[in-house]
Amino acid sequence: MSSVDDRTARARVRDAALRLFAEHGEDRVTMRQVADLAGVSPALVVHHFGSKAGLREAVVEHVRAWMDELFDLTADTGTAEAMQAGEWSSIGEVLQHALPEGSPIVPYLRRLMMSGDPLGTELLTAWHRQTVEIFTAWDAAGKLIAGPDPETRAALAMSSDLGTLFLADHWRHVLGYDPLHGEGLARWADEAMRFYAAILPTPDTGADNDIASPPPSSEEPS
């Protein structure tokens, strides 16, 4: 029972750190603040994580594991089929549905990516590599058109999806609806499907979609 309680306390501390890091930035958060939010003693935080650097590492690994699980899920071509069928508008929507209401993961990632922290670039690099692999696999299965430059196409898709998540609070004010919930999500998804139609083949277009390769040159050979 003691070991179970210890694991629960450790997760509680990690989650408290994640929330405080997302709200204030790591540099402005103390170990005592994390302990207070988690409802444990500062000594217990030190016992589990050693230092704030250890706490940061645990938070990052938690976020990394969450994203890796989602990439494992989306690697299945069934996700591409669901997007073709209109059940999902984008990978971003898959990510949003996988998050509990009020999760600090997105605010944390937004702060990390926007702060210039090298860790943000490291995570983005790994996720981009996985996205290219997924696009390539989906292309081979005839579920997506990876195009002549899948690395750039994956980066464009990630910019759209992550931008939706990171800018959602602003879009609520600009558009007057919530792009991540309820009727607003449905409206956003409808337009997103029109956008993604360029790389999602249909029975009519198959793999011959005109975005799959550069347009032929209009110049006559000399």
Side-chain angles (χ1 to χ4, degrees):
M1 179 64 71
S2 175
S3 62
V4 172
D5 289 344
D6 286 345
R7 286 198 304 271
T8 301
R10 190 179 193 281
R12 209 162 60 240
V13 171
R14 180 204 63 210
D15 292 346
L18 172 59
R19 186 166 298 280
L20 289 172
F21 289 173
E23 292 176 357
H24 307 292
E26 295 173 21
D27 292 343
R28 299 179 61 187
V29 174
T30 67
M31 297 280 274
R32 179 172 293 278
Q33 288 172 320
V34 173
D36 289 344
L37 184 60
V40 301
S41 68
L44 186 61
V45 178
V46 174
H47 168 71
H48 282 300
F49 301 100
S51 65
K52 196 162 79 169
L55 191 55
R56 167 188 162 100
E57 182 179 350
V59 167
V60 171
E61 285 307 309
H62 175 62
V63 173
R64 195 196 305 270
W66 172 78
M67 286 294 289
D68 286 346
E69 288 178 5
L70 286 172
F71 274 111
D72 289 343
L73 171 66
T74 55
D76 187 340
T77 56
T79 301
E81 292 169 358
M83 289 176 67
Q84 286 177 304
E87 296 174 24
W88 300 106
S89 66
S90 65
I91 299 301
E93 189 182 346
V94 176
L95 297 180
Q96 188 272 324
H97 276 272
L99 287 169
E101 187 72 24
S103 170
I105 287 180
V106 168
Y108 174 73
L109 285 175
R110 178 172 57 222
R111 182 180 289 275
L112 190 66
M113 296 292 179
M114 298 299 108
S115 68
D117 190 319
L119 176 61
T121 303
E122 177 188 329
L123 292 175
L124 191 64
T125 300
W127 295 338
H128 175 257
R129 182 177 62 250
Q130 290 173 286
T131 301
V132 173
E133 291 172 357
I134 290 171
F135 274 26
T136 302
W138 284 7
D139 185 285
K143 303 301 180 183
L144 178 141
I145 302 169
D149 187 356
E151 288 79 12
T152 299
R153 185 160 293 184
L156 288 168
M158 291 177 67
S159 294
S160 174
D161 292 339
L162 292 175
T164 302
L165 295 175
F166 292 170
L167 297 175
D169 291 341
H170 297 289
W171 289 133
R172 290 185 189 102
H173 295 290
V174 173
L175 298 173
Y177 66 84
D178 185 344
L180 296 181
H181 298 95
E183 294 181 2
L185 174 58
R187 180 175 173 181
W188 186 275
D190 285 346
E191 191 58 35
M193 281 307 299
R194 297 184 186 98
F195 176 82
Y196 277 97
I199 61 173
L200 288 172
T202 67
D204 293 333
T205 61
D208 297 325
N209 191 305
D210 61 7
I211 199 171
S213 58
S217 173
S218 60
E219 298 181 0
E220 294 293 333
S222 55

